């Protein structure tokens, strides 16, 4: 057994199917290699097919509808044609969007509703959930929160004022107790049709990561071409500057009280990336990164150790070997 075998859940050879699974639902989480999966693995025409429609259509079809208006049959019908084409070609249709696991900045308040919608519309699907060590994940997601328009400091992002009133959904650390979402999908789809992979496994062994997904879908384990990091991380100085700018110029769901609104402000601001890359000293970036990591570690500590132990039991993963805090005893 190789070192990386310990990072993938055990696979029952009898579960490898002679024909491809009809649908693979890749539901997230955010900041766990989704862009690489979508642009490289799922774009491989030898084993997968993806709808020709823009990915945001998945959100419009499966997330946005009012709970009292959602029609599972109608949602399934929207993907009937690409599913038929995939079947005819002997491929698995992939529906991939991180939003399907909920949105971190709103505490994933709709994730149970979304999971139940997916089970109603695509009951024969396989499910892929990709996780990441929570402290690193919170740091990455907080940075994305600012990119998307957020204005809170890290402290206010992690600790919502007056949380007991719950007037408006906001981030909650409960969102990253992975065992809860895994157990939900096990209940809705069955344990043998849900695969949980740590993104750290992708970093160490991309081929093994891809092979595990192929086994879930009943397809061949084909070689992949290693790819560079899909998303370029912005300098932290760029994020620090964006926070007050969001408050002033970006009226959106994460900053609803902006004094002025510049259309597509976040896209326009993104054009400044080369400027910040040139002007933000490496020593400053390292200091800011250490400060962010220390603040998250002080706030989170081993908060997820019990949840991670339950996730290990549910999935067969060795999360402790990947640096996740795991309760023992």
């Amino acid at each position: 057994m190789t070192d990386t075998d310990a990072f993938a859940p055990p696979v029952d050879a009898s579960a490898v199917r002679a024909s491809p699974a009809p649908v693979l639902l890749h539901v997230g989480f955010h900041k766990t290699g989704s862009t690489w999966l979508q642009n490289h693995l799922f774009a491989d025409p030898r084993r997968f097919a993806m709808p020709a429609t823009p990915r945001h259509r998945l959100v419009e079809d499966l997330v946005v509808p009012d709970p009292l208006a959602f029609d599972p049959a109608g949602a399934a019908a929207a993907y009937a044609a690409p599913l038929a084409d995939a079947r005819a070609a002997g491929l698995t249709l992939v529906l991939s969007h991180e939003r399907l696991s909920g949105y971190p900045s709103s505490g994933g308040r709709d994730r149970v509703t979304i999971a139940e919608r997916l089970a109603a519309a695509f009951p024969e699907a396989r499910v892929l959930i990709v996780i990441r060590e929570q402290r690193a994940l919170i740091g990455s997601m907080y940075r994305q929160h600012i990119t998307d328009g957020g204005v809170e400091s890290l402290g206010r992002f992690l600790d919502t004022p007056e949380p007991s009133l719950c007037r408006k959904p906001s981030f909650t650390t409960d969102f990253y107790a992975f065992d809860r979402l895994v157990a939900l999908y096990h209940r809705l789809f069955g344990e043998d049709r849900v695969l949980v992979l740590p993104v750290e496994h992708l970093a160490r062994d991309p081929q093994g990561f891809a092979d595990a997904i192929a086994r879930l879908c009943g397809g061949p384990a084909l070689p992949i071409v290693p790819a560079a990091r899909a998303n370029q991380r912005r300098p932290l100085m760029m994020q620090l500057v964006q926070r007050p700018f969001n408050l002033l110029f970006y009226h959106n769901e994460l900053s609803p009280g902006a004094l002025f609104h510049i259309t597509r402000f976040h896209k326009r601001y993104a054009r400044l990336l080369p400027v910040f890359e040139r002007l933000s000293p490496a020593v400053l970036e390292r200091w800011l990164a250490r400060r962010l990591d220390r603040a998250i570690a002080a706030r989170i500590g081993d908060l997820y150790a019990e949840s991670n132990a339950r996730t290990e039991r549910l999935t067969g993963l060795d999360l402790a070997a990947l640096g996740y805090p795991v309760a023992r005893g």
Side-chain angles (χ1 to χ4, degrees):
M1 185 172 75
T2 66
D3 291 341
T4 53
D5 289 336
F7 308 139
V11 175
D12 182 353
S14 65
V16 178
R17 300 162 183 83
S19 59
V23 177
L24 173 64
L25 301 171
H26 169 226
V27 301
F29 284 76
H30 291 76
K31 315 307 292 183
T32 59
S34 300
T35 302
W36 181 87
L37 285 167
Q38 293 152 0
N39 291 348
H40 296 283
L41 184 63
F42 297 153
D44 187 339
R46 298 173 298 174
R47 60 188 115 191
F48 297 117
M50 298 184 74
T53 51
R55 282 198 318 112
H56 64 75
R57 274 288 306 277
L58 288 168
V59 177
E60 295 170 3
D61 293 337
L62 299 167
V63 177
V64 173
D66 182 273
L68 298 180
F70 179 72
D71 174 19
Y79 299 92
L83 176 56
D85 291 342
R87 284 182 185 274
L91 304 174
T92 293
L93 179 69
V94 180
L95 304 181
S96 172
H97 204 294
E98 310 90 300
R99 182 64 179 85
L100 298 179
S101 60
Y103 189 64
S105 295
S106 60
R109 293 290 181 177
D110 55 3
R111 56 186 169 163
V112 174
T113 298
I114 295 169
E116 291 173 343
R117 290 178 177 185
L118 293 174
F122 309 103
E124 300 303 317
R126 311 295 185 257
V127 178
L128 172 64
I129 303 172
V130 185
I131 63 175
R132 181 177 176 183
E133 192 278 317
Q134 287 96 338
R135 290 164 296 193
L137 181 52
I138 287 171
S140 185
M141 190 59 223
Y142 173 67
R143 294 169 70 146
Q144 185 65 47
H145 176 77
I146 300 303
T147 298
D148 291 345
V151 299
E152 298 91 342
S153 66
L154 175 66
R156 291 197 174 187
F157 176 74
L158 294 176
D159 293 301
T160 303
E162 298 183 333
S164 61
L165 296 176
C166 197
R167 297 186 183 100
K168 181 180 179 182
S170 59
F171 178 81
T172 169
T173 53
D174 287 346
F175 182 74
Y176 289 130
F178 297 130
D179 65 294
R180 298 173 182 176
L181 193 73
V182 173
L184 172 65
Y185 275 93
H186 279 182
R187 176 173 62 81
L188 293 173
F189 288 90
E191 294 182 23
D192 64 324
R193 289 197 277 137
V194 178
L195 175 65
V196 181
L197 290 175
V199 74
E200 294 86 356
H201 181 201
L202 172 60
R204 299 186 185 201
D205 181 15
Q207 185 64 59
F209 190 94
D211 290 349
I213 297 172
R215 290 193 295 271
L216 172 71
C217 296
L222 300 176
I224 63 170
V225 177
R229 185 186 182 99
N231 283 330
Q232 187 175 15
R233 176 175 287 187
R234 293 183 176 188
L236 279 166
M237 177 56 69
M238 184 175 182
Q239 305 300 88
L240 282 176
V241 174
Q242 185 174 352
R243 274 183 56 207
F245 279 8
N246 287 341
L247 188 63
L248 291 172
F249 304 122
Y250 191 17
H251 183 75
N252 71 100
E253 289 179 305
L254 301 181
S255 178
L259 294 178
F260 308 97
H261 178 59
I262 298 177
T263 304
R264 298 175 63 82
F265 170 78
H266 63 307
K267 298 290 186 182
R268 297 172 187 268
Y269 186 78
R271 297 173 189 169
L272 297 177
L273 176 61
V275 176
F276 281 97
E277 287 180 329
R278 289 195 302 269
L279 298 181
S280 186
V283 64
L284 176 61
E285 286 297 314
R286 289 193 296 270
W287 181 81
L288 290 171
R290 288 194 299 269
R291 187 180 70 164
L292 180 65
D293 292 343
R294 285 195 300 266
I296 292 172
R299 170 63 176 80
I300 300 302
D302 291 335
L303 176 66
Y304 296 106
E306 295 287 349
S307 171
N308 289 338
R310 291 190 293 270
T311 300
E312 284 193 335
R313 291 192 291 271
L314 287 169
T315 63
L317 292 165
D318 185 356
L319 296 180
L322 293 169
Y324 292 61
V326 178
R328 298 301 189 205

